[in-house]
Amino acid sequence: SYGEDWFINRPYLGAVPLTNDLDRATNLFKKYSALQRRVGQKLPPSTFAELWDDFILNNPWNDTSRILGSFKDGDREELLKMETLPSLSELRTKQAIRTQEWLNEHG
């Protein structure tokens, strides 16, 4: 079967995020978001974009960290969507669902 063990036992696939990793990534995002709300008015908006880029997206451990690998590289819209959803798991589920029309067109 293709459960999480299948990915764990194939390190050549890279750091494929697993269920608990998505939960941990959600917690990381919530801490980032809380910090932004707490001190965001005192700093230019670009500061938090740079902070996210430097510490999350451009982190030297992205290739080996399943948690950091849970975030899509450079997807600013993902951050906005995360503000409105309870978890990264829910966002990934919504991204995976396709309409009947899409399925008919793309088969």
Side-chain angles (χ1 to χ4, degrees), residues 3-23:
E4 293 188 348
D5 286 341
W6 192 88
F7 294 99
I8 291 170
N9 295 322
R10 288 166 176 79
Y12 60 87
L13 293 175
V16 176
L18 306 175
T19 302
N20 289 337
D21 302 314
L22 292 172
D23 295 340

PDB file of all heavy atoms in Angstrom, residues 3-23:
ATOM      1  N   GLY A   3       0.906   3.970   1.925  1.00  0.00           N
ATOM      2  CA  GLY A   3       0.772   4.766   3.141  1.00  0.00           C
ATOM      3  C   GLY A   3       2.038   5.584   3.368  1.00  0.00           C
ATOM      4  O   GLY A   3       2.952   5.620   2.537  1.00  0.00           O
ATOM      5  N   GLU A   4       2.106   6.221   4.502  1.00  0.00           N
ATOM      6  CA  GLU A   4       3.249   7.084   4.805  1.00  0.00           C
ATOM      7  C   GLU A   4       4.557   6.307   4.859  1.00  0.00           C
ATOM      8  O   GLU A   4       5.611   6.835   4.502  1.00  0.00           O
ATOM      9  CB  GLU A   4       2.988   7.847   6.091  1.00  0.00           C
ATOM     10  CG  GLU A   4       1.857   8.843   5.917  1.00  0.00           C
ATOM     11  CD  GLU A   4       1.675   9.776   7.092  1.00  0.00           C
ATOM     12  OE1 GLU A   4       2.265   9.542   8.160  1.00  0.00           O
ATOM     13  OE2 GLU A   4       0.939  10.752   6.913  1.00  0.00           O
ATOM     14  N   ASP A   5       4.515   5.042   5.283  1.00  0.00           N
ATOM     15  CA  ASP A   5       5.742   4.237   5.327  1.00  0.00           C
ATOM     16  C   ASP A   5       6.377   4.092   3.947  1.00  0.00           C
ATOM     17  O   ASP A   5       7.593   4.002   3.823  1.00  0.00           O
ATOM     18  CB  ASP A   5       5.460   2.849   5.908  1.00  0.00           C
ATOM     19  CG  ASP A   5       5.237   2.896   7.408  1.00  0.00           C
ATOM     20  OD1 ASP A   5       5.648   3.895   8.043  1.00  0.00           O
ATOM     21  OD2 ASP A   5       4.649   1.945   7.948  1.00  0.00           O
ATOM     22  N   TRP A   6       5.559   4.072   2.925  1.00  0.00           N
ATOM     23  CA  TRP A   6       6.078   3.941   1.567  1.00  0.00           C
ATOM     24  C   TRP A   6       7.027   5.096   1.264  1.00  0.00           C
ATOM     25  O   TRP A   6       8.080   4.910   0.666  1.00  0.00           O
ATOM     26  CB  TRP A   6       4.914   3.919   0.577  1.00  0.00           C
ATOM     27  CG  TRP A   6       5.320   3.508  -0.816  1.00  0.00           C
ATOM     28  CD1 TRP A   6       5.384   2.242  -1.304  1.00  0.00           C
ATOM     29  CD2 TRP A   6       5.699   4.374  -1.884  1.00  0.00           C
ATOM     30  NE1 TRP A   6       5.788   2.267  -2.618  1.00  0.00           N
ATOM     31  CE2 TRP A   6       5.989   3.570  -3.002  1.00  0.00           C
ATOM     32  CE3 TRP A   6       5.827   5.747  -2.015  1.00  0.00           C
ATOM     33  CZ2 TRP A   6       6.391   4.069  -4.229  1.00  0.00           C
ATOM     34  CZ3 TRP A   6       6.240   6.263  -3.229  1.00  0.00           C
ATOM     35  CH2 TRP A   6       6.514   5.431  -4.320  1.00  0.00           C
ATOM     36  N   PHE A   7       6.672   6.313   1.686  1.00  0.00           N
ATOM     37  CA  PHE A   7       7.517   7.483   1.448  1.00  0.00           C
ATOM     38  C   PHE A   7       8.718   7.512   2.390  1.00  0.00           C
ATOM     39  O   PHE A   7       9.813   7.898   1.995  1.00  0.00           O
ATOM     40  CB  PHE A   7       6.697   8.771   1.590  1.00  0.00           C
ATOM     41  CG  PHE A   7       5.645   8.906   0.537  1.00  0.00           C
ATOM     42  CD1 PHE A   7       4.334   8.575   0.806  1.00  0.00           C
ATOM     43  CD2 PHE A   7       5.970   9.341  -0.741  1.00  0.00           C
ATOM     44  CE1 PHE A   7       3.353   8.689  -0.169  1.00  0.00           C
ATOM     45  CE2 PHE A   7       5.005   9.456  -1.729  1.00  0.00           C
ATOM     46  CZ  PHE A   7       3.701   9.125  -1.444  1.00  0.00           C
ATOM     47  N   ILE A   8       8.506   7.106   3.624  1.00  0.00           N
ATOM     48  CA  ILE A   8       9.598   7.092   4.607  1.00  0.00           C
ATOM     49  C   ILE A   8      10.708   6.142   4.165  1.00  0.00           C
ATOM     50  O   ILE A   8      11.890   6.437   4.318  1.00  0.00           O
ATOM     51  CB  ILE A   8       9.063   6.697   5.998  1.00  0.00           C
ATOM     52  CG1 ILE A   8       8.170   7.808   6.548  1.00  0.00           C
ATOM     53  CG2 ILE A   8      10.196   6.401   6.963  1.00  0.00           C
ATOM     54  CD1 ILE A   8       7.412   7.435   7.801  1.00  0.00           C
ATOM     55  N   ASN A   9      10.327   5.022   3.582  1.00  0.00           N
ATOM     56  CA  ASN A   9      11.301   4.014   3.168  1.00  0.00           C
ATOM     57  C   ASN A   9      11.926   4.284   1.805  1.00  0.00           C
ATOM     58  O   ASN A   9      12.661   3.443   1.294  1.00  0.00           O
ATOM     59  CB  ASN A   9      10.655   2.624   3.182  1.00  0.00           C
ATOM     60  CG  ASN A   9      10.273   2.205   4.589  1.00  0.00           C
ATOM     61  OD1 ASN A   9      10.984   2.483   5.541  1.00  0.00           O
ATOM     62  ND2 ASN A   9       9.134   1.558   4.719  1.00  0.00           N
ATOM     63  N   ARG A  10      11.656   5.429   1.221  1.00  0.00           N
ATOM     64  CA  ARG A  10      12.230   5.801  -0.072  1.00  0.00           C
ATOM     65  C   ARG A  10      12.828   7.198   0.018  1.00  0.00           C
ATOM     66  O   ARG A  10      12.279   8.164  -0.515  1.00  0.00           O
ATOM     67  CB  ARG A  10      11.165   5.717  -1.153  1.00  0.00           C
ATOM     68  CG  ARG A  10      10.818   4.276  -1.460  1.00  0.00           C
ATOM     69  CD  ARG A  10       9.547   4.142  -2.273  1.00  0.00           C
ATOM     70  NE  ARG A  10       9.299   2.755  -2.617  1.00  0.00           N
ATOM     71  CZ  ARG A  10       8.780   1.854  -1.781  1.00  0.00           C
ATOM     72  NH1 ARG A  10       8.474   2.181  -0.560  1.00  0.00           N
ATOM     73  NH2 ARG A  10       8.582   0.610  -2.170  1.00  0.00           N
ATOM     74  N   PRO A  11      13.966   7.337   0.695  1.00  0.00           N
ATOM     75  CA  PRO A  11      14.565   8.660   0.893  1.00  0.00           C
ATOM     76  C   PRO A  11      14.954   9.355  -0.407  1.00  0.00           C
ATOM     77  O   PRO A  11      15.058  10.582  -0.445  1.00  0.00           O
ATOM     78  CB  PRO A  11      15.790   8.378   1.754  1.00  0.00           C
ATOM     79  CG  PRO A  11      16.071   6.922   1.609  1.00  0.00           C
ATOM     80  CD  PRO A  11      14.769   6.265   1.281  1.00  0.00           C
ATOM     81  N   TYR A  12      15.127   8.593  -1.481  1.00  0.00           N
ATOM     82  CA  TYR A  12      15.480   9.208  -2.760  1.00  0.00           C
ATOM     83  C   TYR A  12      14.353  10.087  -3.320  1.00  0.00           C
ATOM     84  O   TYR A  12      14.571  10.894  -4.215  1.00  0.00           O
ATOM     85  CB  TYR A  12      15.876   8.137  -3.792  1.00  0.00           C
ATOM     86  CG  TYR A  12      14.801   7.130  -4.087  1.00  0.00           C
ATOM     87  CD1 TYR A  12      13.832   7.363  -5.056  1.00  0.00           C
ATOM     88  CD2 TYR A  12      14.752   5.926  -3.382  1.00  0.00           C
ATOM     89  CE1 TYR A  12      12.837   6.438  -5.311  1.00  0.00           C
ATOM     90  CE2 TYR A  12      13.768   4.982  -3.644  1.00  0.00           C
ATOM     91  CZ  TYR A  12      12.816   5.249  -4.608  1.00  0.00           C
ATOM     92  OH  TYR A  12      11.836   4.326  -4.861  1.00  0.00           O
ATOM     93  N   LEU A  13      13.142   9.952  -2.769  1.00  0.00           N
ATOM     94  CA  LEU A  13      12.026  10.807  -3.180  1.00  0.00           C
ATOM     95  C   LEU A  13      12.107  12.204  -2.572  1.00  0.00           C
ATOM     96  O   LEU A  13      11.377  13.101  -2.967  1.00  0.00           O
ATOM     97  CB  LEU A  13      10.692  10.159  -2.791  1.00  0.00           C
ATOM     98  CG  LEU A  13      10.327   8.868  -3.508  1.00  0.00           C
ATOM     99  CD1 LEU A  13       9.054   8.284  -2.933  1.00  0.00           C
ATOM    100  CD2 LEU A  13      10.182   9.114  -5.002  1.00  0.00           C
ATOM    101  N   GLY A  14      12.981  12.373  -1.601  1.00  0.00           N
ATOM    102  CA  GLY A  14      13.092  13.656  -0.920  1.00  0.00           C
ATOM    103  C   GLY A  14      12.194  13.710   0.298  1.00  0.00           C
ATOM    104  O   GLY A  14      11.641  12.705   0.732  1.00  0.00           O
ATOM    105  N   ALA A  15      12.062  14.888   0.818  1.00  0.00           N
ATOM    106  CA  ALA A  15      11.306  15.095   2.057  1.00  0.00           C
ATOM    107  C   ALA A  15       9.824  15.304   1.756  1.00  0.00           C
ATOM    108  O   ALA A  15       9.300  16.400   1.854  1.00  0.00           O
ATOM    109  CB  ALA A  15      11.872  16.287   2.816  1.00  0.00           C
ATOM    110  N   VAL A  16       9.142  14.251   1.396  1.00  0.00           N
ATOM    111  CA  VAL A  16       7.703  14.311   1.118  1.00  0.00           C
ATOM    112  C   VAL A  16       6.978  14.539   2.441  1.00  0.00           C
ATOM    113  O   VAL A  16       7.120  13.750   3.371  1.00  0.00           O
ATOM    114  CB  VAL A  16       7.214  13.003   0.453  1.00  0.00           C
ATOM    115  CG1 VAL A  16       5.706  13.031   0.268  1.00  0.00           C
ATOM    116  CG2 VAL A  16       7.933  12.770  -0.857  1.00  0.00           C
ATOM    117  N   PRO A  17       6.204  15.633   2.549  1.00  0.00           N
ATOM    118  CA  PRO A  17       5.490  15.906   3.804  1.00  0.00           C
ATOM    119  C   PRO A  17       4.459  14.826   4.126  1.00  0.00           C
ATOM    120  O   PRO A  17       3.726  14.376   3.255  1.00  0.00           O
ATOM    121  CB  PRO A  17       4.795  17.240   3.545  1.00  0.00           C
ATOM    122  CG  PRO A  17       5.522  17.844   2.400  1.00  0.00           C
ATOM    123  CD  PRO A  17       6.026  16.697   1.568  1.00  0.00           C
ATOM    124  N   LEU A  18       4.437  14.425   5.373  1.00  0.00           N
ATOM    125  CA  LEU A  18       3.472  13.449   5.856  1.00  0.00           C
ATOM    126  C   LEU A  18       2.438  14.162   6.726  1.00  0.00           C
ATOM    127  O   LEU A  18       2.547  15.361   6.976  1.00  0.00           O
ATOM    128  CB  LEU A  18       4.200  12.356   6.635  1.00  0.00           C
ATOM    129  CG  LEU A  18       5.342  11.675   5.871  1.00  0.00           C
ATOM    130  CD1 LEU A  18       6.067  10.694   6.767  1.00  0.00           C
ATOM    131  CD2 LEU A  18       4.841  11.006   4.612  1.00  0.00           C
ATOM    132  N   THR A  19       1.429  13.445   7.192  1.00  0.00           N
ATOM    133  CA  THR A  19       0.323  14.056   7.931  1.00  0.00           C
ATOM    134  C   THR A  19       0.796  14.897   9.111  1.00  0.00           C
ATOM    135  O   THR A  19       0.392  16.054   9.246  1.00  0.00           O
ATOM    136  CB  THR A  19      -0.652  12.964   8.413  1.00  0.00           C
ATOM    137  OG1 THR A  19      -1.110  12.239   7.276  1.00  0.00           O
ATOM    138  CG2 THR A  19      -1.830  13.578   9.140  1.00  0.00           C
ATOM    139  N   ASN A  20       1.620  14.346   9.965  1.00  0.00           N
ATOM    140  CA  ASN A  20       2.084  15.110  11.131  1.00  0.00           C
ATOM    141  C   ASN A  20       2.919  16.310  10.729  1.00  0.00           C
ATOM    142  O   ASN A  20       2.943  17.318  11.426  1.00  0.00           O
ATOM    143  CB  ASN A  20       2.881  14.217  12.080  1.00  0.00           C
ATOM    144  CG  ASN A  20       1.999  13.223  12.806  1.00  0.00           C
ATOM    145  OD1 ASN A  20       0.804  13.440  12.954  1.00  0.00           O
ATOM    146  ND2 ASN A  20       2.581  12.127  13.238  1.00  0.00           N
ATOM    147  N   ASP A  21       3.596  16.217   9.590  1.00  0.00           N
ATOM    148  CA  ASP A  21       4.402  17.342   9.117  1.00  0.00           C
ATOM    149  C   ASP A  21       3.511  18.506   8.705  1.00  0.00           C
ATOM    150  O   ASP A  21       3.850  19.664   8.936  1.00  0.00           O
ATOM    151  CB  ASP A  21       5.288  16.907   7.948  1.00  0.00           C
ATOM    152  CG  ASP A  21       6.204  15.773   8.333  1.00  0.00           C
ATOM    153  OD1 ASP A  21       6.818  15.860   9.419  1.00  0.00           O
ATOM    154  OD2 ASP A  21       6.301  14.804   7.573  1.00  0.00           O
ATOM    155  N   LEU A  22       2.383  18.205   8.097  1.00  0.00           N
ATOM    156  CA  LEU A  22       1.441  19.269   7.742  1.00  0.00           C
ATOM    157  C   LEU A  22       0.902  19.945   8.996  1.00  0.00           C
ATOM    158  O   LEU A  22       0.736  21.170   9.030  1.00  0.00           O
ATOM    159  CB  LEU A  22       0.305  18.714   6.886  1.00  0.00           C
ATOM    160  CG  LEU A  22       0.700  18.237   5.485  1.00  0.00           C
ATOM    161  CD1 LEU A  22      -0.476  17.536   4.815  1.00  0.00           C
ATOM    162  CD2 LEU A  22       1.200  19.376   4.633  1.00  0.00           C
ATOM    163  N   ASP A  23       0.645  19.163  10.040  1.00  0.00           N
ATOM    164  CA  ASP A  23       0.182  19.746  11.305  1.00  0.00           C
ATOM    165  C   ASP A  23       1.262  20.633  11.914  1.00  0.00           C
ATOM    166  O   ASP A  23       0.975  21.726  12.411  1.00  0.00           O
ATOM    167  CB  ASP A  23      -0.198  18.648  12.301  1.00  0.00           C
ATOM    168  CG  ASP A  23      -1.398  17.835  11.845  1.00  0.00           C
ATOM    169  OD1 ASP A  23      -2.169  18.315  10.976  1.00  0.00           O
ATOM    170  OD2 ASP A  23      -1.566  16.709  12.350  1.00  0.00           O
TER     171      ASP A  23
END
